Amino acid sequence: MPKDDETIQLQKELQDLIAQVQDMQKKANDAKLEDTCGSMGDVPKVRLVTKKLLKGHINKVNSVHFSGDSRHCVTGSLDGKLIIWDTWTGNKVQVIPLRSSWVMSVAFAPSGNFVACGGMDNMCTVYDLNNRDNTGAAKIVRELAGYEGFLSSCRFLDDKHIITGSGDMKICHWDLESGKKTMEFNAHAGDVVSMSFASGEGDNPVGNTYVTGSVDRTCKIWDVREEKAKQTFFGHEADVNSVIFHPSGQAFATGSEDKTARLFDLRSDQQLALYTPPNKTSGFTSCALSKSGRFILCGSDDNSIHIWDAMKNQHNGTLSGHENRVTSICMSGNGMALASCSWDQNVRVWV
């Protein structure tokens, strides 16, 4: 059998298996989330406004992430700069020049001591914000190389460990003290474009469980101590651009190129809800959840941020202000502020 025919046959078998799994899930799904929550009171309209408009980048801003202190955030732009912002005052704390301007992902360590970034340079670079080099910029402490594709996502476990997802479909675990990989494995059948950790317990802000979203249209649940996925979730019909763990640790939300956001539950092993924008034409680049998990927010390529009541599946409104596609959004740890960045070169803090 020619290779092409064999590939087509295998793809068909795979699609049939996925369809069978989804049929079985539907049979086990005895109620809809919005029906079960129908008796709950309606939530008021979310009235977030732009508290601070952060100007400083001179090209598209691709990624934003809050520090664990819920005050500072880092943004990465195609202008070749990382900027650390004080979101309370709107001031720049540090501007870090990058060796490569093609930054796609940024991450702030929960402690606030380090930031990391990566992109088309096929590398994850880690900066120590408390130490400067001879130019006065934050000192590079590690350049983590060895990827066969671009770096599309990164998140700190703590000051000594970071996990990355990349365009070579792999997840890598790094020990930052030695600069060596502690784990590397094939994770998806496409770029690993987003990851999110469940909240930790006690003094540890980050738990052992994390979720990844991929261009292969699936999401997977992982344990940091293992190389095999705990669960795989199907449903999206295009790239899963963003994943975010629910505060309960029992569910996660997604935003996708297929113009939907979804909520998946770990215990029932399936999708709980599907959220669509009123215009039905907006693809989602990023997603966030409120501190309670009651609201799901999605940044969109229609220049706005859409909000839903996650329980009753009702569109609550939109946040308008950006003048180009919203590339990334991030909720502060205390749930008091939302940061968003856009191709319009601006960063907004909504309160």
Side-chain angles (χ1 to χ4, degrees):
M1 187 185 280
K3 183 86 174 75
D4 288 348
D5 290 350
E6 188 178 353
T7 306
I8 291 165
Q9 183 66 31
L10 287 168
Q11 283 175 335
K12 186 178 182 307
E13 277 182 41
L14 184 62
Q15 292 303 326
D16 289 346
L17 282 169
I18 292 170
Q20 282 177 35
V21 170
Q22 287 174 328
D23 284 344
M24 289 164 74
Q25 285 176 331
K26 275 179 192 159
K27 283 173 187 164
N29 189 357
D30 55 355
K32 283 188 173 177
L33 181 68
E34 51 262 41
D35 295 341
T36 307
C37 299
S39 59
M40 291 174 73
D42 287 341
V43 286
K45 190 168 170 60
V46 175
R47 301 203 182 278
L48 292 177
V49 295
T50 301
K51 189 77 173 172
K52 293 284 181 235
L53 177 60
L54 309 178
K55 293 191 168 204
H57 286 296
I58 54 171
N59 206 330
K60 296 171 179 175
V61 191
N62 275 343
S63 188
V64 60
H65 193 224
F66 261 105
S67 167
D69 66 4
S70 296
R71 176 172 181 169
H72 296 92
C73 74
V74 59
T75 54
S77 164
L78 297 185
D79 62 10
K81 301 277 195 299
L82 289 188
I83 299 182
I84 312 296
W85 304 89
D86 182 336
T87 62
W88 294 4
T89 63
N91 295 333
K92 300 181 193 74
V93 179
Q94 284 195 51
V95 178
I96 305 170
L98 305 176
R99 294 184 181 179
S100 163
S101 61
W102 294 98
V103 61
M104 294 176 69
S105 180
V106 297
F108 222 130
S111 65
N113 295 326
F114 298 91
V115 292
C117 71
M120 293 297 188
D121 56 354
N122 295 14
M123 190 183 289
C124 180
T125 310
V126 181
Y127 296 87
D128 182 348
L129 299 182
N130 301 320
N131 283 299
R132 307 292 176 106
D133 60 19
N134 53 16
T135 67
K139 191 175 182 182
I140 294 176
V141 287
R142 283 283 173 240
E143 287 186 312
L144 309 173
Y147 298 98
E148 293 163 25
F150 57 87
L151 189 102
S152 42
S153 54
C154 56
R155 284 292 178 263
F156 284 92
L157 257 172
D158 51 43
D159 282 357
K160 296 176 182 174
H161 302 91
I162 193 167
I163 297 181
T164 63
S166 43
D168 56 10
M169 308 185 271
K170 289 179 179 174
I171 290 174
C172 293
H173 294 216
W174 294 89
D175 181 314
L176 293 175
E177 287 192 319
S178 66
K180 291 190 166 62
K181 285 179 197 166
T182 55
M183 246 188 243
E184 179 184 20
F185 50 91
N186 292 315
H188 283 274
D191 311 347
V192 185
V193 291
S194 179
M195 64 173 62
S196 172
F197 278 96
S199 299
E201 295 173 7
D203 295 333
N204 187 9
V206 174
N208 287 321
T209 306
Y210 64 104
V211 58
T212 55
S214 169
V215 169
D216 69 5
R217 305 185 287 192
T218 68
C219 306
K220 294 188 180 185
I221 299 290
W222 309 84
D223 187 296
V224 294
R225 296 158 293 195
E226 297 175 18
E227 296 188 5
K228 198 168 186 300
K230 293 283 190 188
Q231 288 171 270
T232 302
F233 293 87
F234 303 94
H236 278 296
E237 293 163 13
D239 304 3
V240 180
N241 287 329
S242 182
V243 290
I244 187 79
F245 240 106
H246 193 276
S248 68
Q250 302 289 359
F252 65 91
T254 59
S256 168
E257 207 72 47
D258 67 7
K259 303 176 175 55
T260 69
R262 302 181 191 225
L263 186 67
F264 292 91
D265 183 72
L266 273 60
R267 291 160 298 183
S268 64
D269 199 32
Q270 62 175 301
Q271 181 180 306
L272 282 185
L274 183 148
Y275 310 96
T276 54
N279 58 14
K280 302 280 194 296
T281 58
S282 307
F284 296 120
T285 57
S286 51
C287 65
L289 285 162
S290 62
K291 177 83 171 165
S292 66
R294 183 70 193 260
F295 294 104
I296 177 170
L297 306 93
C298 281
S300 170
D301 52 21
D302 68 4
N303 309 355
S304 60
I305 298 166
H306 291 263
I307 306 172
W308 294 267
D309 177 342
M311 306 299 284
K312 299 186 78 170
N313 201 343
Q314 293 171 347
H315 193 264
N316 187 276
T318 55
L319 305 180
S320 301
H322 282 296
E323 294 167 11
N324 207 325
R325 70 182 282 154
V326 178
T327 47
S328 178
I329 63 173
C330 183
M331 185 68 71
S332 63
N334 61 10
M336 298 298 288
L338 179 79
S340 64
C341 62
S342 163
W343 279 4
D344 67 7
Q345 306 179 10
N346 294 330
V347 182
R348 287 175 181 263
V349 180
W350 307 82
V351 177

